[in-house]
Amino acid sequence: MPDVFINYRTGDGNDIAALIDNELANRFGKNRAFRASRSIPAGSAYPDALLRGVRRSALVLVVVGPGWINFQAQLRDPEDWVRKEILEAFNCGVPVVPVVAGRRTERLSKERLPDELARLAELQSVRLDTQSAEADLKRLGDLVAEMVPELYDLEHAEAALPDPGSVSNSTGTVSGTAVQSRDFAGDLNSTVINGSAGPVHSGRGNIYQNSRHVSGGRHYSGDGMTNIEGDHRGDIRHRFGDSGRPGDDER
């Protein structure tokens, strides 16, 4: 389901519509916006797709190109799709924002619009000029995020995700300090170590290392030397710190 429907007239604003579509895709993800020339597959019935796209959207952006107001005959034609999409948004209660394309394009006036579209002139518009496209697109994207909370939440949730190279603690109940790292040195008293792909040096204390999370790593432990290399299955448990206790071969 698209969140933003981009209304535009072919030959007067379709280039701006493509810029908006690309900006929203880069910022919020693919297919979060509906633009007819991209979003309707070949062979599909476009009348149903257009009206359904408007109804399912949370916001409609009306691209007003330099010659938009000159299409007077079309704007008064009940079969004109620019007109039909805008009226469908009005009838369904979908918020509408005019996007005035170009520095010299005049804002809409009620006197030059059909009565059915006169409301469009009363809506606060934003301007998008190709000479300041980067800043204007950023400002438009901010407005979209503000008006469509789902997109705001999506953008901020993605920003909070960890970097691909970062690590996280293992799931389940862990007593003591949980460490997941490529390299760690120092005393690990009652420490759980998962996912080590590099050397792990441990001092005294109890060490429980589940070898199912160990692949090709190396483990060096204190109070003597224990060297574990390669893949392992099952649990590997070591207890150190009682050097006076006899080993199995001394009993």
Side-chain angles (χ1 to χ4, degrees):
M1 162 178 172
D3 297 283
V4 181
F5 187 98
I6 304 174
N7 168 276
Y8 66 97
R9 186 176 297 283
T10 301
D12 185 68
N14 48 293
D15 54 340
I16 294 296
L19 281 177
I20 296 172
D21 188 13
N22 186 64
E23 173 68 14
L24 297 181
N26 289 338
R27 182 159 175 175
F28 304 113
K30 187 178 179 182
N31 297 327
R32 306 303 300 202
F34 184 103
R35 181 170 60 95
S37 59
R38 176 189 60 78
S39 302
I40 302 177
S44 298
Y46 72 86
D48 292 340
L50 288 172
L51 294 180
R52 186 169 58 248
V54 173
R55 296 185 195 114
R56 292 182 175 181
S57 295
L59 175 67
V60 171
L61 300 178
V62 176
V63 178
V64 180
W68 195 91
I69 199 64
N70 296 327
F71 287 87
Q72 291 293 322
Q74 290 87 337
L75 292 174
R76 286 171 169 76
D77 180 3
E79 297 304 314
D80 178 61
W81 276 102
V82 169
R83 171 193 167 107
K84 290 175 76 169
E85 291 165 8
I86 296 171
L87 292 181
E88 186 70 16
F90 286 162
N91 292 335
C92 294
V94 180
V96 174
V97 174
V99 180
V100 181
R103 189 170 300 177
R104 298 182 180 180
T105 303
E106 295 182 2
R107 298 180 185 275
L108 299 176
S109 62
K110 296 177 64 173
E111 293 74 19
R112 301 188 64 185
L113 289 171
D115 292 341
E116 301 84 353
L117 297 177
R119 176 181 168 188
L120 198 62
E122 298 175 345
L123 301 176
Q124 180 72 348
S125 63
V126 296
R127 189 172 295 276
L128 201 165
D129 183 32
T130 54
Q131 295 184 20
S132 55
E134 183 175 356
D136 289 352
L137 286 169
K138 171 66 166 58
R139 190 158 42 248
L140 179 60
D142 292 343
L143 176 65
V144 168
E146 179 182 341
M147 297 186 69
V148 185
E150 182 181 350
L151 293 182
Y152 178 90
D153 294 341
L154 175 67
E155 182 180 26
H156 285 73
E158 290 181 350
L161 291 176
D163 294 333
S166 64
V167 295
S168 59
N169 289 334
S170 61
T171 59
T173 302
V174 177
S175 62
T177 305
V179 178
Q180 188 168 4
S181 173
R182 297 184 65 87
D183 297 283
F184 186 93
D187 281 344
L188 307 178
N189 192 12
S190 296
T191 302
V192 177
I193 307 170
N194 287 335
S196 172
V200 176
H201 303 277
S202 57
R204 300 185 179 188
N206 298 331
I207 303 167
Y208 300 95
Q209 183 173 8
N210 189 330
S211 63
R212 286 174 296 179
H213 297 286
V214 178
S215 177
R218 296 191 299 276
H219 176 170
Y220 300 95
S221 57
D223 279 3
M225 178 66 71
T226 302
N227 183 7
I228 302 171
E229 295 187 353
D231 293 335
H232 300 276
R233 298 293 182 268
D235 290 338
I236 301 174
R237 302 171 182 266
H238 300 279
R239 181 180 181 87
F240 302 98
D242 189 2
S243 59
R245 183 177 179 176
D248 291 340
D249 57 347
E250 296 177 331
R251 292 178 182 175

